[in-house]
Every structure is written in structure tokens, then in C-alpha cells.
Amino acid sequence: MPSPAPPTELLPWERAVVLLSCVLSALGSGLLVATHALWPDLRSRARRLLLFLSLTDLLSAASYFYGVLKDFAGSSWDCVLQGALSTFANTSSFFWTVAIALYLYLSIVRAARGPSTDHLLWAFHLVSWGVPLAITVAAVSLKKIGYDASDVSVGWCWINLEAEDRVLWMLLTGKLWEMLAYVLLPLLYLLVRKHINRAHQALSEYRPIWEGRQLQRGSSAMADKKLILIPLIFICLRVWSTVRFALTLCGSPAVQSPVLVVLHGIGNTFQGGANCIMFVLCTRAVRTRLFSLFCCRCYPQPSTQNPSGAPAPPRMRESQESGLIPEVPST
């Protein structure tokens, strides 16, 4: 690997954009956690996996926020601490993202049910928490985490560019798992989508994603779009980090391009915000409840009671039922 290039200077407007992305990601992750706490009936296994992904994204956004705000100039103690937290959270986020795709594949295509899925969830916990933790502890113990001159980051600390085996540790602490996710996510979601298209007439039986008694065509179309958008959004966010990593390996001055720096910063920090858009704002069951909660608190209406024993109006009853039909993926 060529000698490290001069440090990449983080301009004020670049820092402001990335900090905003961190805040939005943290808010999005927090909203996902809040919806999980507010409505127990939406706590499917798939959404439980999404909860753990949201927690890693929340930790990642917080650690990146501190790093970007501080804009380290050396391997201080807080640089190492921030680098360790972001390394663990970022790597764990990759594992949980793939775990959700693998769970959907096994539940839908392989029709895994019962105790086997419980064992699978325990395996996800063991791998998605254990492997990142082991890698992070090893990197900190061997003093591999430190100042990286913002050539493979955007103000935060990651792998010390003075380490002789820095490429190996960059791969182990993120890039290897990131590139594997580029392959596994599109493959798994395409297999799920292909299977669903083949079994379009029997969609209502696939409970990991749709748990309503009847599935409307609109829900099916939305589910189909999400199965394409999930891996596409992940790749669009993360690819800029991979591009700057490759440019750093080549010693190219293009690694300091302001456009690449900002895209890298947004891509690494906005995963929680993207998940919130996909699985809260674009999921009708959750979106309807959130809007109802917001409207009830901001614009309280006088309580009106129907005559004793009178059924609810049909239109109201239909809207309530349709609001409880989760759209895909409720992951």
C-alpha cells in the first residue's frame, strides 16, 4: 500500500452536512425503537431483528457524531474510544442487516417455522454481537484503532494509518463484511421476491412479513418494491465508503474530493434514517398509528360516544382494520 496521503481537511459545510445526517439517523433509529415499545402487536420476529439493527445504528450515529464534531488530529484516548464504538456498531449493523435478509429467506423460501427459528434468532445474536465485539477488542488490544487522517473516514477515527497491516484490519473491521453484504443482500432479496412472485396466489400464508387475513394488491405491490429497494438503498449509501477505501489503497488524491467526502459521510451515518423511512414512514400499519398518535396529542377532539350497543360506522371500521395490516417488510 502506498504511503498515506496528506490528511483530508474537513470543511465546515461538509462537517455540518454529516452532523445533520447523524442527527437524522439517530432520530430515525429512535423512532423505530419507540414504535417497537409502543405497539406490542407489531413485534413480529422480523421486527425484533429490526430493533437490534436500530440499536446498532443509533450507537453508530452517536459515535460518528462525536467524531465528526471533534475532527480528531491524532490518536488521543477519546479517538480510540470513538473508533472502537463506531467499529463495533458499524460491523454489527452489517451482520444484523444480513441477518434480517437471511431470516426472511429462510422463513419464506425455506418455510422455517417453530423451534428452528428460535434457534436461528439465538445464532443471529451470537454472530451479530459476538463477532464484531471480538474484532473490536482485538483491534483495540493490538492498538490498531486510531487516527486515520479522514482518508477512510469523515472526521472520525478508525484504523490507524500508521499501522503496517492497516489494510488487513480495515477489511476485518468493516470492509470485508460490507463487500459481502453487497453480494448477499441482493441475492437473498431477489430469491425471496422470485419465490413470492411464484406463489402470488398464496401470499397470505407468509406470516413473517404479512400477518393480515387478507392481502390487498396495493400491499403486495409495496412489498415487491421494498424487496428491491432494501438492498439498493444499502448499496447506494455504503458504496461511497468502499470507493474512498479503494482510492486510499491506490494513493489517489481523489480520495479528498469534497463530493466523495460528503457522500461517504452521509452514507455511513444515515442508515438509521433510511431504515426509518422504509419501515416506519413507508409501512402503512406503523405510519397510520403514528399519525393517529400525533393528531390525538396535538389536536384533541371531544369524545363522542355511539349509542349503547351500536356498531362502529363501516368506513371507520374498515380504516381501522386496514391500518392493522402490516406491509412488507415489517422487518
Side-chain angles (χ1 to χ4, degrees):
M1 179 176 175
S3 300
T8 299
E9 181 182 359
L10 195 60
L11 302 176
W13 72 269
E14 296 172 343
R15 182 183 290 109
V17 170
V18 179
L19 286 174
L20 177 61
S21 177
C22 291
V23 171
L24 293 176
S25 182
L27 291 175
S29 299
L31 188 57
L32 278 163
V33 174
T35 58
H36 189 86
L38 283 173
W39 297 298
D41 58 308
L42 293 181
R43 297 175 191 172
S44 63
R45 281 194 176 96
R47 275 205 167 264
R48 207 178 310 159
L49 296 179
L50 181 61
L51 171 67
F52 301 127
L53 174 61
S54 300
L55 292 175
T56 63
D57 289 334
L58 183 59
L59 177 60
S60 180
S63 60
Y64 282 144
F65 182 90
Y66 181 80
V68 177
L69 189 65
K70 192 72 180 286
D71 194 14
F72 297 103
S75 296
S76 57
W77 69 269
D78 54 343
C79 166
V80 175
L81 177 61
Q82 178 272 309
L85 289 175
S86 61
T87 296
F88 168 75
N90 202 40
T91 307
S92 183
S93 178
F94 292 145
F95 279 94
W96 280 115
T97 302
V98 174
I100 291 173
L102 182 60
Y103 173 78
L104 292 175
Y105 170 78
L106 293 175
S107 299
I108 296 175
V109 180
R110 297 300 178 185
R113 294 288 188 276
S116 61
T117 57
D118 294 331
H119 297 156
L120 186 64
L121 293 179
W122 281 109
F124 286 156
H125 279 287
L126 182 63
V127 174
S128 300
W129 298 124
V131 174
L133 181 61
I135 292 173
T136 303
V137 170
V140 172
S141 302
L142 297 173
K143 298 182 178 179
K144 303 300 179 182
I145 292 181
Y147 177 62
D148 61 7
S150 289
D151 287 342
V152 283
S153 71
V154 186
W156 56 80
C157 289
W158 186 33
I159 298 301
N160 195 333
L161 288 184
E162 295 181 357
E164 294 182 358
D165 53 352
R166 54 189 176 272
V167 177
L168 172 63
W169 282 99
M170 287 178 188
L171 290 171
L172 288 176
T173 56
K175 293 304 163 191
L176 175 62
W177 318 113
E178 185 177 71
M179 288 184 281
L180 283 175
Y182 290 157
V183 177
L184 291 176
L185 288 177
L187 176 62
L188 290 171
Y189 280 112
L190 283 175
L191 289 174
V192 171
R193 183 170 179 265
K194 183 178 180 181
H195 179 82
I196 289 177
N197 287 339
R198 287 178 175 177
H200 195 274
Q201 300 301 321
L203 280 177
S204 60
E205 70 182 77
Y206 295 120
R207 293 181 61 95
I209 295 181
W210 298 282
E211 297 178 355
R213 284 174 287 181
Q214 293 181 348
L215 185 66
Q216 299 175 352
R217 290 185 178 181
S219 299
S220 176
M222 177 60 74
D224 207 41
K225 290 178 182 178
K226 285 186 179 180
L227 291 174
I228 299 173
L229 287 175
I230 291 169
L232 184 62
I233 290 175
F234 177 86
I235 293 173
C236 288
L237 286 175
R238 294 289 183 173
V239 70
W240 310 109
S241 170
T242 307
V243 169
R244 289 194 76 215
F245 170 68
L247 292 174
T248 301
L249 294 183
C250 300
S252 171
V255 74
Q256 300 181 350
S257 166
V259 175
L260 275 180
V261 170
V262 171
L263 289 174
H264 179 187
I266 294 174
N268 266 47
T269 59
F270 193 65
Q271 190 66 51
N275 289 338
C276 179
I277 293 172
M278 288 289 294
F279 304 126
V280 174
L281 302 182
C282 292
T283 300
R284 184 177 56 188
V286 183
R287 183 180 66 243
T288 302
R289 296 187 184 199
L290 276 177
F291 287 169
S292 298
L293 183 65
F294 175 78
C295 291
C296 288
R297 294 203 172 186
C298 293
Y299 307 103
Q301 297 179 354
S303 59
T304 57
Q305 297 181 350
N306 290 330
S308 177
R315 185 172 301 176
M316 181 183 297
R317 189 165 59 244
E318 289 174 5
S319 65
Q320 291 171 349
E321 291 175 356
S322 63
L324 295 176
I325 301 175
E327 292 180 353
V328 149
S330 283
T331 48

